[in-house]
Structures are given as structure tokens and as C-alpha cells.
Amino acid sequence: MSVTTLHEADRFEWLEQQVGLLKSGALGALDITHLIQELEAEMGNERRELFRRLRVLMAHLLKWQFQPEARSNSWKGTIRTQRNDIARLFKENPSLRRFLAEELTDAYREAVEWAADETGLGDETFPTVCHYAIDDILSRDFWPD
């Protein structure tokens, strides 16, 4: 089976094969085209992870601020968990921070929809752009009122 066919038929076996080739120094036998695609896909996965965590965090911060009578320990736990997971993501991938503002902008739009759906408040209740400072969003001590 060719390397390209193996990549399409059994990605895991292909990955094992590529790791083995790297470890043995058989660089000429590597499937460079698919390796590049896989590495680029992994970079995209890290950005999507940041986006998803920011979306959840922002939705819960909005609910916390705009529906204070419904605040719960569950919301607080979700906010803490997302902050901790984002901090861990940045610890493991410091250069990912350069995408924070861009991912926050995109995540905020979806977070507003999520918060509106869960609170029953209209989208217009929430600011159209994120009104929290990035440092506040990530701070363990920030709880919007």
C-alpha cells in the first residue's frame, strides 16, 4: 500500500509509520505533503480549542452580568474551568496568545446568541462588541456586575 493510500485508509497507522520514519532518521521516506497538512490541521485545532473555550467563558460571563438573579455555582464553576483551561492552553502554547483578540471577537458573537437563548433575554440586551478587557476576562478575580 502506498504512503498516500495508507494516509487515506488508516490515518492512525500512517501516523505510526511517519513517527517510526522520523525516529529512524529515514527522512527521505516521509510523506511530506500529508505531514504538512496534518501539522497545519493541528495548528487549526489549537485555535479552535481557544475559540470554543472563549465562547463558553463569554456566554457565562454575559449570563452572570445580565441575569444576576439566576447566578449559580454551576455558572461560577464553568467560568473558573474555562479560565483555567485557557491558562493551561497558553502555558502549553504561548504563541497562541497572538490569536486571542481575533478569536475573542468571533467567540463573542456566538456567546451573545448562546447567552440570549439561555437567559430568554433578547440579543439586543447584550453589547454588540465585547465590553470586557481581555485581562479581566482571564482574571480569576473578575466577576462582572
Side-chain angles (χ1 to χ4, degrees), residues 77-103:
T78 297
I79 290 168
R80 286 188 194 278
T81 297
Q82 297 309 312
R83 285 175 170 159
N84 289 339
D85 288 351
I86 290 168
R88 186 175 304 110
L89 192 59
F90 287 152
K91 182 178 180 184
E92 294 170 359
N93 304 285
S95 63
L96 198 56
R97 273 192 182 275
R98 73 178 187 261
F99 301 108
L100 180 58
E102 181 181 346
E103 295 300 334

mmCIF file of all heavy atoms in Angstrom, residues 77-103:
data_model
loop_
_atom_site.group_PDB
_atom_site.id
_atom_site.type_symbol
_atom_site.label_atom_id
_atom_site.label_comp_id
_atom_site.label_asym_id
_atom_site.label_seq_id
_atom_site.Cartn_x
_atom_site.Cartn_y
_atom_site.Cartn_z
ATOM 1 N N GLY A 77 -18.600 27.678 38.385
ATOM 2 C CA GLY A 77 -17.688 26.581 38.084
ATOM 3 C C GLY A 77 -17.285 26.549 36.618
ATOM 4 O O GLY A 77 -16.121 26.306 36.286
ATOM 5 N N THR A 78 -18.238 26.825 35.741
ATOM 6 C CA THR A 78 -17.930 26.851 34.314
ATOM 7 C C THR A 78 -16.966 27.983 33.995
ATOM 8 O O THR A 78 -16.013 27.803 33.229
ATOM 9 C CB THR A 78 -19.224 26.987 33.484
ATOM 10 O OG1 THR A 78 -20.038 25.829 33.718
ATOM 11 C CG2 THR A 78 -18.926 27.101 32.004
ATOM 12 N N ILE A 79 -17.188 29.144 34.568
ATOM 13 C CA ILE A 79 -16.293 30.289 34.348
ATOM 14 C C ILE A 79 -14.886 29.951 34.827
ATOM 15 O O ILE A 79 -13.901 30.166 34.113
ATOM 16 C CB ILE A 79 -16.851 31.553 35.040
ATOM 17 C CG1 ILE A 79 -18.111 32.030 34.313
ATOM 18 C CG2 ILE A 79 -15.792 32.653 35.102
ATOM 19 C CD1 ILE A 79 -18.915 33.079 35.066
ATOM 20 N N ARG A 80 -14.774 29.402 36.019
ATOM 21 C CA ARG A 80 -13.451 29.039 36.553
ATOM 22 C C ARG A 80 -12.765 27.978 35.680
ATOM 23 O O ARG A 80 -11.578 28.068 35.385
ATOM 24 C CB ARG A 80 -13.577 28.530 37.983
ATOM 25 C CG ARG A 80 -13.855 29.598 38.999
ATOM 26 C CD ARG A 80 -13.773 28.999 40.404
ATOM 27 N NE ARG A 80 -14.345 29.868 41.402
ATOM 28 C CZ ARG A 80 -13.724 30.892 41.958
ATOM 29 N NH1 ARG A 80 -12.495 31.192 41.587
ATOM 30 N NH2 ARG A 80 -14.313 31.626 42.878
ATOM 31 N N THR A 81 -13.520 26.980 35.287
ATOM 32 C CA THR A 81 -12.954 25.906 34.470
ATOM 33 C C THR A 81 -12.434 26.442 33.143
ATOM 34 O O THR A 81 -11.320 26.095 32.718
ATOM 35 C CB THR A 81 -14.008 24.804 34.220
ATOM 36 O OG1 THR A 81 -14.378 24.233 35.478
ATOM 37 C CG2 THR A 81 -13.487 23.737 33.290
ATOM 38 N N GLN A 82 -13.211 27.278 32.486
ATOM 39 C CA GLN A 82 -12.777 27.816 31.198
ATOM 40 C C GLN A 82 -11.534 28.692 31.365
ATOM 41 O O GLN A 82 -10.604 28.617 30.550
ATOM 42 C CB GLN A 82 -13.902 28.593 30.514
ATOM 43 C CG GLN A 82 -15.108 27.744 30.156
ATOM 44 C CD GLN A 82 -14.756 26.484 29.398
ATOM 45 O OE1 GLN A 82 -14.000 26.502 28.435
ATOM 46 N NE2 GLN A 82 -15.306 25.354 29.830
ATOM 47 N N ARG A 83 -11.503 29.501 32.396
ATOM 48 C CA ARG A 83 -10.313 30.328 32.645
ATOM 49 C C ARG A 83 -9.088 29.449 32.892
ATOM 50 O O ARG A 83 -8.003 29.717 32.363
ATOM 51 C CB ARG A 83 -10.552 31.257 33.837
ATOM 52 C CG ARG A 83 -11.450 32.422 33.508
ATOM 53 C CD ARG A 83 -11.760 33.245 34.735
ATOM 54 N NE ARG A 83 -12.418 34.485 34.360
ATOM 55 C CZ ARG A 83 -13.145 35.203 35.198
ATOM 56 N NH1 ARG A 83 -13.298 34.822 36.461
ATOM 57 N NH2 ARG A 83 -13.718 36.326 34.790
ATOM 58 N N ASN A 84 -9.257 28.416 33.705
ATOM 59 C CA ASN A 84 -8.136 27.513 33.985
ATOM 60 C C ASN A 84 -7.670 26.800 32.721
ATOM 61 O O ASN A 84 -6.468 26.659 32.484
ATOM 62 C CB ASN A 84 -8.528 26.486 35.048
ATOM 63 C CG ASN A 84 -8.670 27.100 36.422
ATOM 64 O OD1 ASN A 84 -8.126 28.163 36.705
ATOM 65 N ND2 ASN A 84 -9.425 26.435 37.281
ATOM 66 N N ASP A 85 -8.621 26.355 31.922
ATOM 67 C CA ASP A 85 -8.257 25.635 30.696
ATOM 68 C C ASP A 85 -7.596 26.548 29.672
ATOM 69 O O ASP A 85 -6.680 26.126 28.961
ATOM 70 C CB ASP A 85 -9.477 24.944 30.105
ATOM 71 C CG ASP A 85 -9.917 23.728 30.921
ATOM 72 O OD1 ASP A 85 -9.176 23.323 31.847
ATOM 73 O OD2 ASP A 85 -11.007 23.196 30.647
ATOM 74 N N ILE A 86 -8.032 27.783 29.592
ATOM 75 C CA ILE A 86 -7.378 28.744 28.692
ATOM 76 C C ILE A 86 -5.963 29.025 29.190
ATOM 77 O O ILE A 86 -5.018 29.073 28.394
ATOM 78 C CB ILE A 86 -8.203 30.041 28.567
ATOM 79 C CG1 ILE A 86 -9.499 29.771 27.785
ATOM 80 C CG2 ILE A 86 -7.392 31.144 27.880
ATOM 81 C CD1 ILE A 86 -10.511 30.900 27.843
ATOM 82 N N ALA A 87 -5.799 29.186 30.492
ATOM 83 C CA ALA A 87 -4.458 29.411 31.050
ATOM 84 C C ALA A 87 -3.543 28.230 30.733
ATOM 85 O O ALA A 87 -2.376 28.417 30.353
ATOM 86 C CB ALA A 87 -4.542 29.640 32.561
ATOM 87 N N ARG A 88 -4.055 27.019 30.857
ATOM 88 C CA ARG A 88 -3.269 25.821 30.545
ATOM 89 C C ARG A 88 -2.930 25.781 29.055
ATOM 90 O O ARG A 88 -1.810 25.441 28.672
ATOM 91 C CB ARG A 88 -4.041 24.570 30.937
ATOM 92 C CG ARG A 88 -3.234 23.289 30.778
ATOM 93 C CD ARG A 88 -3.966 22.047 31.279
ATOM 94 N NE ARG A 88 -4.384 22.165 32.667
ATOM 95 C CZ ARG A 88 -5.662 22.298 33.063
ATOM 96 N NH1 ARG A 88 -6.630 22.334 32.189
ATOM 97 N NH2 ARG A 88 -5.960 22.394 34.343
ATOM 98 N N LEU A 89 -3.889 26.147 28.226
ATOM 99 C CA LEU A 89 -3.651 26.184 26.778
ATOM 100 C C LEU A 89 -2.523 27.157 26.445
ATOM 101 O O LEU A 89 -1.646 26.845 25.632
ATOM 102 C CB LEU A 89 -4.953 26.591 26.075
ATOM 103 C CG LEU A 89 -5.061 26.435 24.577
ATOM 104 C CD1 LEU A 89 -4.856 24.992 24.153
ATOM 105 C CD2 LEU A 89 -6.419 26.932 24.110
ATOM 106 N N PHE A 90 -2.511 28.327 27.091
ATOM 107 C CA PHE A 90 -1.451 29.309 26.857
ATOM 108 C C PHE A 90 -0.118 28.854 27.445
ATOM 109 O O PHE A 90 0.935 29.158 26.897
ATOM 110 C CB PHE A 90 -1.824 30.672 27.419
ATOM 111 C CG PHE A 90 -2.875 31.392 26.617
ATOM 112 C CD1 PHE A 90 -3.724 32.307 27.228
ATOM 113 C CD2 PHE A 90 -3.030 31.174 25.259
ATOM 114 C CE1 PHE A 90 -4.682 32.977 26.494
ATOM 115 C CE2 PHE A 90 -3.986 31.834 24.522
ATOM 116 C CZ PHE A 90 -4.815 32.742 25.146
ATOM 117 N N LYS A 91 -0.165 28.120 28.555
ATOM 118 C CA LYS A 91 1.074 27.611 29.138
ATOM 119 C C LYS A 91 1.729 26.605 28.185
ATOM 120 O O LYS A 91 2.941 26.611 28.001
ATOM 121 C CB LYS A 91 0.786 26.952 30.485
ATOM 122 C CG LYS A 91 2.019 26.445 31.188
ATOM 123 C CD LYS A 91 1.672 25.846 32.537
ATOM 124 C CE LYS A 91 2.936 25.355 33.225
ATOM 125 N NZ LYS A 91 2.643 24.679 34.486
ATOM 126 N N GLU A 92 0.913 25.764 27.579
ATOM 127 C CA GLU A 92 1.422 24.752 26.649
ATOM 128 C C GLU A 92 1.752 25.337 25.278
ATOM 129 O O GLU A 92 2.560 24.768 24.543
ATOM 130 C CB GLU A 92 0.392 23.630 26.492
ATOM 131 C CG GLU A 92 0.174 22.838 27.768
ATOM 132 C CD GLU A 92 -1.022 21.893 27.677
ATOM 133 O OE1 GLU A 92 -1.706 21.849 26.630
ATOM 134 O OE2 GLU A 92 -1.281 21.194 28.680
ATOM 135 N N ASN A 93 1.078 26.428 24.922
ATOM 136 C CA ASN A 93 1.216 27.034 23.589
ATOM 137 C C ASN A 93 1.296 28.555 23.719
ATOM 138 O O ASN A 93 0.346 29.255 23.344
ATOM 139 C CB ASN A 93 0.010 26.672 22.714
ATOM 140 C CG ASN A 93 -0.211 25.185 22.597
ATOM 141 O OD1 ASN A 93 0.505 24.509 21.892
ATOM 142 N ND2 ASN A 93 -1.207 24.680 23.314
ATOM 143 N N PRO A 94 2.369 29.109 24.256
ATOM 144 C CA PRO A 94 2.438 30.551 24.495
ATOM 145 C C PRO A 94 2.185 31.399 23.251
ATOM 146 O O PRO A 94 1.578 32.477 23.339
ATOM 147 C CB PRO A 94 3.854 30.773 25.022
ATOM 148 C CG PRO A 94 4.328 29.445 25.490
ATOM 149 C CD PRO A 94 3.592 28.422 24.696
ATOM 150 N N SER A 95 2.602 30.930 22.088
ATOM 151 C CA SER A 95 2.429 31.732 20.875
ATOM 152 C C SER A 95 0.967 31.819 20.437
ATOM 153 O O SER A 95 0.608 32.655 19.609
ATOM 154 C CB SER A 95 3.288 31.188 19.730
ATOM 155 O OG SER A 95 2.873 29.891 19.384
ATOM 156 N N LEU A 96 0.114 30.995 21.014
ATOM 157 C CA LEU A 96 -1.314 31.045 20.704
ATOM 158 C C LEU A 96 -1.950 32.352 21.183
ATOM 159 O O LEU A 96 -2.969 32.792 20.648
ATOM 160 C CB LEU A 96 -2.008 29.846 21.359
ATOM 161 C CG LEU A 96 -3.376 29.434 20.868
ATOM 162 C CD1 LEU A 96 -3.383 29.162 19.371
ATOM 163 C CD2 LEU A 96 -3.830 28.194 21.628
ATOM 164 N N ARG A 97 -1.309 32.997 22.143
ATOM 165 C CA ARG A 97 -1.823 34.280 22.664
ATOM 166 C C ARG A 97 -2.001 35.329 21.576
ATOM 167 O O ARG A 97 -2.867 36.183 21.686
ATOM 168 C CB ARG A 97 -0.875 34.847 23.718
ATOM 169 C CG ARG A 97 -1.148 34.358 25.079
ATOM 170 C CD ARG A 97 -0.350 35.200 26.083
ATOM 171 N NE ARG A 97 -0.557 34.715 27.399
ATOM 172 C CZ ARG A 97 -1.588 35.063 28.175
ATOM 173 N NH1 ARG A 97 -2.472 35.917 27.745
ATOM 174 N NH2 ARG A 97 -1.711 34.556 29.378
ATOM 175 N N ARG A 98 -1.194 35.243 20.532
ATOM 176 C CA ARG A 98 -1.292 36.274 19.490
ATOM 177 C C ARG A 98 -2.624 36.223 18.750
ATOM 178 O O ARG A 98 -2.991 37.168 18.067
ATOM 179 C CB ARG A 98 -0.112 36.181 18.536
ATOM 180 C CG ARG A 98 -0.115 35.022 17.589
ATOM 181 C CD ARG A 98 1.109 35.098 16.652
ATOM 182 N NE ARG A 98 1.092 34.119 15.631
ATOM 183 C CZ ARG A 98 1.761 32.973 15.663
ATOM 184 N NH1 ARG A 98 2.514 32.668 16.701
ATOM 185 N NH2 ARG A 98 1.696 32.128 14.659
ATOM 186 N N PHE A 99 -3.361 35.128 18.903
ATOM 187 C CA PHE A 99 -4.669 34.994 18.255
ATOM 188 C C PHE A 99 -5.827 35.318 19.194
ATOM 189 O O PHE A 99 -6.981 35.237 18.803
ATOM 190 C CB PHE A 99 -4.848 33.577 17.702
ATOM 191 C CG PHE A 99 -3.800 33.197 16.702
ATOM 192 C CD1 PHE A 99 -2.809 32.285 17.032
ATOM 193 C CD2 PHE A 99 -3.795 33.758 15.435
ATOM 194 C CE1 PHE A 99 -1.833 31.928 16.119
ATOM 195 C CE2 PHE A 99 -2.829 33.415 14.506
ATOM 196 C CZ PHE A 99 -1.847 32.499 14.852
ATOM 197 N N LEU A 100 -5.514 35.685 20.423
ATOM 198 C CA LEU A 100 -6.544 35.876 21.441
ATOM 199 C C LEU A 100 -7.582 36.919 21.041
ATOM 200 O O LEU A 100 -8.784 36.656 21.096
ATOM 201 C CB LEU A 100 -5.898 36.246 22.780
ATOM 202 C CG LEU A 100 -6.837 36.488 23.956
ATOM 203 C CD1 LEU A 100 -7.710 35.280 24.227
ATOM 204 C CD2 LEU A 100 -6.026 36.837 25.196
ATOM 205 N N ALA A 101 -7.160 38.090 20.624
ATOM 206 C CA ALA A 101 -8.112 39.156 20.287
ATOM 207 C C ALA A 101 -9.018 38.745 19.130
ATOM 208 O O ALA A 101 -10.240 38.968 19.171
ATOM 209 C CB ALA A 101 -7.369 40.447 19.958
ATOM 210 N N GLU A 102 -8.434 38.131 18.126
ATOM 211 C CA GLU A 102 -9.220 37.714 16.958
ATOM 212 C C GLU A 102 -10.229 36.627 17.327
ATOM 213 O O GLU A 102 -11.411 36.699 16.946
ATOM 214 C CB GLU A 102 -8.276 37.202 15.874
ATOM 215 C CG GLU A 102 -8.967 36.753 14.606
ATOM 216 C CD GLU A 102 -7.988 36.221 13.576
ATOM 217 O OE1 GLU A 102 -6.759 36.424 13.715
ATOM 218 O OE2 GLU A 102 -8.465 35.582 12.624
ATOM 219 N N GLU A 103 -9.790 35.637 18.061
ATOM 220 C CA GLU A 103 -10.691 34.554 18.454
ATOM 221 C C GLU A 103 -11.767 35.061 19.412
ATOM 222 O O GLU A 103 -12.912 34.617 19.353
ATOM 223 C CB GLU A 103 -9.917 33.389 19.073
ATOM 224 C CG GLU A 103 -8.969 32.699 18.115
ATOM 225 C CD GLU A 103 -9.638 32.093 16.883
ATOM 226 O OE1 GLU A 103 -10.843 31.753 16.942
ATOM 227 O OE2 GLU A 103 -8.961 31.964 15.857
#
